[in-house]
Amino acid sequence: MLARPGFVDLLLGTAGSVAVCVGSFGVGDIARNNTVAQDLGLSMITYGHGKTLFGTIFWLGVATMIIAWVRLGRTLLAARGSSARAALPTVRTMQTGVLMWAAPLAVAVPVYSRDVYAYLGQGAVFREGFDPYADGPAHHAGPLLDSMAQVWASTTAPYGPFFVGVTRVVTEITGDHAILGVYAMRLVLLPGLLLALWSIPRLANHFSASPQSGLWLAVANPMILIHLVAGTHVELLMMGILVAGVALAVSGRHAAGLAVLGIAISIKVTAGIAIPFVVWIWLAHIRARRPARVTDVAGVFAAVIVIPVAVFTVWTAVVGLGLGWLTGLGWADRIINWFTVPTLAAHVVTIVAAPFTALNLQPVLTVTRAVGAVVLAIILVALWWWGRRDERRAMAAMVWAMLAVLLLEPSTLPWYYTWVLGLAAAFTVRPRICAVVVFVSTFMLIVFQPDDSILFYKLPETLLAIALSALAATALLRPDPLRLRRVVDWFTARPTSTPAVRAESGSPSSDTAGRT
């Protein structure tokens, strides 16, 4: 068993995942005003020395998962272009390994974000007869409202009708019990991981890429697993449905793929970025059989519009809340971090202008984000037109479009990277780009903290995060980047044997005797 390629690394990552789970009970986003820890006599792990101990366990777990992931990535990169396929872990091994890593995280305390409590709060508001698209969670006081990040207490739901309906069903079952609600919500979201494990190898195989590398990039990624499974984010479900819809479309089941993508946009509207590119994929399949006629083009355009809209309309009718979700899309502007180009530009402008005039960040943000929106719209249209040549070009344009949204929208968070990584699994990603993914993933696990605090505006901590992330990225391309093996070899080396010196036994050497 241990001789199977990649098995030791997957086992190491599982040990790290268990440590993350254990540590989360001391440093995670525990439900507020809840006495379960006290009732079990475990409250001491959430403060003082107990919290320090569990924090240490948590970060050792994160480091172990990253080390295992990097080692696994090196194995996959080394096998590229060689005939040593036997040295690769199988797709089944990779899928099993991802589930092994995810299982402990599924029982962890929520980490890095309190969004899961906001989901439950919006579901509870809907359950109580309010409209979550018009009324924030503050309309229903209780443990769910207490446990969520209070900045979102008065905001409305930005999610599509399918997901809002899901949150209502969960809260109908679990009531206002925050802990039961968290675990029920995870059960609802985890099928997204299973869908990703099913669809990513199919997408990769279709474009002659490595399915193992695709799984490594998108779902074995510790940032994805920890943030999405332990953090409990809707992107976990959306990623699986999005990639499944695209995998169906490229395999020739266009209508089914569009229907699945209709469900994806009923969860989060961002998934809709992928839909226009299905036009070129479908037309490419037609052209592979015969010349495309005008009626083919018209029919494909009509289907690409009608099928997702019909699915979205059905879910809107089932939930019965209309299009109120549009009002919630602007709440993302409240998030300010320098991980998108418009926000970074606003920071740079205020810093450069500081010696001359005091500029408030908010008005500058308004300008840079408006410019970013215009640039994004132009880029999306250009990418859509660029992707018209064939299926592969359309798929590449889809990936670039998702990346453009990630970089040019008002704000971004670590779990948003699933929009790109799941689709990028269709291609053979260059080693240096893989190293960039390792750098960003490691960085996002450090500057965001498990208790929902942030470090990316603190210079010493940010520099440390950059250094550790650079080390992880370098280790993917070059084993032992710190040259620690030399130090170990120096300490463990045996003394070199030398000819016996006769002088030690009292007799001079022949050389000495001759000279005397």
Coordinates of all heavy atoms in Angstrom, one line a residue, residues 359-400:
L359 N -5.8 62.1 0.7 CA -6.9 61.6 0.0 C -7.6 60.5 0.7 O -7.0 59.5 1.2 CB -6.4 61.0 -1.4 CG -6.0 62.0 -2.5 CD1 -5.6 61.2 -3.7 CD2 -7.2 62.9 -2.8
N360 N -8.9 60.6 0.9 CA -9.7 59.5 1.5 C -9.8 58.3 0.6 O -10.0 58.5 -0.6 CB -11.1 60.0 1.9 CG -11.8 58.9 2.7 OD1 -12.3 58.0 2.2 ND2 -11.9 59.1 4.0
L361 N -9.6 57.1 1.1 CA -9.6 55.9 0.2 C -10.9 55.7 -0.5 O -11.0 55.3 -1.7 CB -9.2 54.7 1.0 CG -9.2 53.4 0.2 CD1 -8.1 53.4 -0.8 CD2 -9.0 52.2 1.2
Q362 N -12.0 56.0 0.2 CA -13.4 55.6 -0.4 C -13.7 56.3 -1.7 O -14.1 55.7 -2.7 CB -14.4 55.9 0.7 CG -15.7 55.1 0.4 CD -15.5 53.6 0.4 OE1 -14.9 53.1 1.3 NE2 -16.0 52.9 -0.6
P363 N -13.5 57.6 -1.8 CA -13.8 58.2 -3.1 C -12.9 57.8 -4.2 O -13.2 57.7 -5.4 CB -13.6 59.8 -2.8 CG -13.1 59.9 -1.5 CD -13.3 58.6 -0.8
V364 N -11.6 57.5 -3.9 CA -10.7 57.0 -4.9 C -11.1 55.6 -5.3 O -11.1 55.3 -6.5 CB -9.2 57.0 -4.3 CG1 -8.3 56.4 -5.3 CG2 -8.8 58.3 -3.9
L365 N -11.6 54.8 -4.4 CA -12.1 53.5 -4.7 C -13.2 53.5 -5.7 O -13.4 52.7 -6.6 CB -12.5 52.7 -3.4 CG -11.5 51.8 -2.7 CD1 -12.1 51.3 -1.5 CD2 -11.0 50.7 -3.6
T366 N -14.1 54.5 -5.5 CA -15.3 54.7 -6.4 C -14.8 54.8 -7.8 O -15.4 54.2 -8.7 CB -16.1 55.8 -5.9 OG1 -16.5 55.7 -4.6 CG2 -17.3 56.0 -6.8
V367 N -13.8 55.7 -8.0 CA -13.3 55.9 -9.3 C -12.6 54.7 -9.9 O -12.8 54.3 -11.0 CB -12.3 57.1 -9.3 CG1 -11.7 57.3 -10.7 CG2 -13.1 58.4 -8.9
T368 N -11.6 54.1 -9.1 CA -10.9 53.0 -9.7 C -11.8 51.8 -9.9 O -11.6 51.0 -10.9 CB -9.7 52.6 -8.7 OG1 -10.3 52.3 -7.4 CG2 -8.7 53.7 -8.6
R369 N -12.8 51.5 -9.1 CA -13.7 50.4 -9.3 C -14.5 50.7 -10.5 O -14.9 49.7 -11.3 CB -14.5 50.2 -8.1 CG -13.7 49.5 -7.0 CD -14.5 49.3 -5.7 NE -13.8 48.5 -4.7 CZ -14.3 48.2 -3.5 NH1 -15.4 48.8 -3.1 NH2 -13.6 47.4 -2.7
A370 N -14.9 51.9 -10.8 CA -15.7 52.2 -12.0 C -14.9 51.9 -13.2 O -15.4 51.3 -14.2 CB -16.2 53.6 -11.9
V371 N -13.6 52.4 -13.2 CA -12.7 52.1 -14.3 C -12.5 50.6 -14.5 O -12.5 50.1 -15.6 CB -11.4 52.8 -14.1 CG1 -10.4 52.4 -15.2 CG2 -11.6 54.4 -14.1
G372 N -12.3 49.9 -13.4 CA -12.2 48.5 -13.4 C -13.4 47.8 -14.1 O -13.2 46.8 -14.8
A373 N -14.6 48.3 -13.8 CA -15.8 47.7 -14.3 C -15.8 47.9 -15.8 O -16.2 46.9 -16.6 CB -17.0 48.3 -13.7
V374 N -15.5 49.0 -16.3 CA -15.5 49.3 -17.7 C -14.4 48.5 -18.5 O -14.7 47.8 -19.5 CB -15.2 50.8 -18.0 CG1 -15.0 51.1 -19.5 CG2 -16.3 51.7 -17.5
V375 N -13.2 48.4 -17.9 CA -12.1 47.6 -18.5 C -12.6 46.1 -18.5 O -12.3 45.4 -19.5 CB -10.8 47.8 -17.7 CG1 -9.8 46.8 -18.1 CG2 -10.3 49.2 -17.8
L376 N -13.2 45.6 -17.4 CA -13.6 44.2 -17.3 C -14.6 43.9 -18.4 O -14.6 42.9 -19.1 CB -14.2 44.0 -16.0 CG -14.8 42.5 -15.8 CD1 -13.7 41.5 -16.0 CD2 -15.4 42.4 -14.4
A377 N -15.6 44.8 -18.6 CA -16.6 44.6 -19.7 C -16.0 44.5 -21.0 O -16.3 43.6 -21.9 CB -17.6 45.8 -19.6
I378 N -15.0 45.4 -21.3 CA -14.3 45.3 -22.6 C -13.5 44.0 -22.8 O -13.5 43.4 -23.8 CB -13.4 46.6 -22.7 CG1 -14.2 47.9 -22.8 CG2 -12.5 46.4 -24.0 CD1 -13.3 49.1 -22.7
I379 N -12.8 43.6 -21.7 CA -12.0 42.4 -21.8 C -12.9 41.2 -22.0 O -12.6 40.3 -22.8 CB -11.2 42.2 -20.5 CG1 -10.1 43.3 -20.4 CG2 -10.6 40.8 -20.3 CD1 -9.3 43.3 -19.2
L380 N -14.1 41.1 -21.3 CA -15.0 40.0 -21.4 C -15.5 39.9 -22.9 O -15.5 38.8 -23.4 CB -16.1 40.1 -20.4 CG -15.8 39.9 -19.0 CD1 -17.0 40.1 -18.1 CD2 -15.1 38.6 -18.7
V381 N -15.9 41.0 -23.4 CA -16.4 41.0 -24.8 C -15.2 40.6 -25.8 O -15.4 39.7 -26.7 CB -16.9 42.4 -25.2 CG1 -17.2 42.4 -26.7 CG2 -18.2 42.7 -24.4
A382 N -14.0 41.1 -25.6 CA -12.9 40.8 -26.4 C -12.5 39.3 -26.3 O -12.3 38.6 -27.3 CB -11.7 41.6 -26.1
L383 N -12.6 38.7 -25.1 CA -12.3 37.3 -24.9 C -13.3 36.4 -25.5 O -13.0 35.4 -26.1 CB -12.1 37.0 -23.4 CG -10.8 37.5 -22.7 CD1 -11.0 37.3 -21.2 CD2 -9.6 36.7 -23.2
W384 N -14.6 36.8 -25.4 CA -15.6 36.0 -26.0 C -15.4 36.0 -27.6 O -15.5 34.9 -28.1 CB -17.0 36.7 -25.7 CG -18.1 35.9 -26.3 CD1 -18.7 34.7 -25.9 CD2 -18.9 36.3 -27.5 NE1 -19.7 34.3 -26.7 CE2 -19.9 35.3 -27.7 CE3 -18.9 37.4 -28.3 CZ2 -20.8 35.3 -28.7 CZ3 -19.8 37.4 -29.4 CH2 -20.7 36.4 -29.6
W385 N -15.1 37.1 -28.2 CA -14.9 37.1 -29.6 C -13.6 36.3 -30.0 O -13.6 35.6 -31.0 CB -14.9 38.5 -30.1 CG -14.8 38.7 -31.6 CD1 -13.8 39.1 -32.4 CD2 -15.8 38.3 -32.5 NE1 -14.1 39.1 -33.7 CE2 -15.4 38.6 -33.8 CE3 -17.1 37.8 -32.4 CZ2 -16.1 38.3 -35.0 CZ3 -17.9 37.5 -33.5 CH2 -17.4 37.8 -34.8
W386 N -12.6 36.5 -29.2 CA -11.3 35.8 -29.4 C -11.5 34.3 -29.4 O -10.8 33.5 -30.1 CB -10.3 36.2 -28.4 CG -9.0 35.5 -28.5 CD1 -8.0 35.7 -29.4 CD2 -8.5 34.5 -27.6 NE1 -6.9 34.9 -29.1 CE2 -7.2 34.1 -28.0 CE3 -9.1 33.8 -26.5 CZ2 -6.5 33.1 -27.4 CZ3 -8.3 32.8 -25.9 CH2 -7.0 32.5 -26.3
G387 N -12.5 33.8 -28.6 CA -12.7 32.3 -28.4 C -13.5 31.7 -29.5 O -13.8 30.5 -29.4
R388 N -13.8 32.4 -30.5 CA -14.8 31.9 -31.5 C -14.1 30.8 -32.5 O -14.8 30.1 -33.2 CB -15.3 33.0 -32.4 CG -14.4 33.6 -33.4 CD -14.9 34.9 -34.0 NE -14.0 35.4 -35.0 CZ -13.0 36.1 -34.8 NH1 -12.6 36.4 -33.5 NH2 -12.2 36.6 -35.8
R389 N -12.8 30.7 -32.5 CA -12.1 29.9 -33.5 C -12.4 28.4 -33.4 O -12.8 27.8 -34.4 CB -10.6 30.1 -33.5 CG -9.9 29.5 -34.7 CD -8.4 29.8 -34.6 NE -7.8 29.0 -33.6 CZ -6.5 29.1 -33.3 NH1 -5.7 29.9 -34.0 NH2 -5.9 28.4 -32.3
D390 N -12.3 27.9 -32.2 CA -12.5 26.4 -32.0 C -12.8 26.2 -30.5 O -12.8 27.1 -29.7 CB -11.3 25.6 -32.5 CG -10.0 26.0 -31.9 OD1 -10.0 26.4 -30.7 OD2 -9.0 26.0 -32.6
E391 N -13.0 24.9 -30.3 CA -13.4 24.5 -28.9 C -12.3 24.8 -27.9 O -12.6 25.4 -26.8 CB -13.7 23.0 -28.9 CG -14.1 22.4 -27.5 CD -14.1 20.9 -27.5 OE1 -13.1 20.3 -28.0 OE2 -15.1 20.3 -27.0
R392 N -11.1 24.5 -28.2 CA -10.0 24.7 -27.3 C -9.8 26.2 -27.0 O -9.6 26.6 -25.8 CB -8.7 24.1 -27.8 CG -7.6 24.1 -26.8 CD -6.4 23.4 -27.4 NE -5.4 23.2 -26.3 CZ -5.3 22.2 -25.5 NH1 -6.2 21.3 -25.5 NH2 -4.4 22.1 -24.6
R393 N -9.9 27.0 -28.0 CA -9.8 28.5 -27.9 C -10.9 29.0 -27.0 O -10.7 29.9 -26.1 CB -9.8 29.2 -29.2 CG -9.7 30.7 -29.2 CD -8.3 31.2 -28.8 NE -7.4 31.0 -29.9 CZ -7.1 31.8 -30.9 NH1 -7.8 32.9 -30.9 NH2 -6.2 31.6 -31.8
A394 N -12.1 28.5 -27.2 CA -13.3 28.9 -26.4 C -13.1 28.6 -24.9 O -13.4 29.4 -24.0 CB -14.6 28.3 -26.9
M395 N -12.6 27.4 -24.7 CA -12.3 27.0 -23.3 C -11.3 27.8 -22.7 O -11.4 28.3 -21.5 CB -11.9 25.5 -23.3 CG -11.8 24.9 -21.9 SD -13.4 24.8 -21.1 CE -13.0 25.0 -19.4
A396 N -10.2 28.1 -23.4 CA -9.1 29.0 -22.9 C -9.7 30.4 -22.6 O -9.4 31.0 -21.5 CB -8.0 29.1 -23.8
A397 N -10.5 30.9 -23.5 CA -11.1 32.2 -23.3 C -12.0 32.2 -22.0 O -12.0 33.2 -21.3 CB -11.9 32.6 -24.5
M398 N -12.7 31.1 -21.8 CA -13.5 31.0 -20.6 C -12.7 31.1 -19.3 O -13.1 31.8 -18.4 CB -14.3 29.7 -20.6 CG -15.3 29.6 -19.5 SD -16.0 27.9 -19.4 CE -16.7 27.6 -21.0
V399 N -11.6 30.5 -19.3 CA -10.7 30.5 -18.1 C -10.1 31.9 -17.9 O -10.1 32.4 -16.8 CB -9.5 29.5 -18.3 CG1 -8.5 29.6 -17.2 CG2 -10.1 28.1 -18.4
W400 N -9.7 32.5 -19.0 CA -9.2 33.9 -18.9 C -10.2 34.9 -18.5 O -10.0 35.8 -17.7 CB -8.6 34.4 -20.3 CG -7.2 33.8 -20.6 CD1 -6.9 32.9 -21.6 CD2 -6.0 34.0 -19.9 NE1 -5.6 32.6 -21.5 CE2 -5.0 33.3 -20.5 CE3 -5.7 34.8 -18.8 CZ2 -3.7 33.3 -20.1 CZ3 -4.3 34.9 -18.4 CH2 -3.3 34.1 -19.0

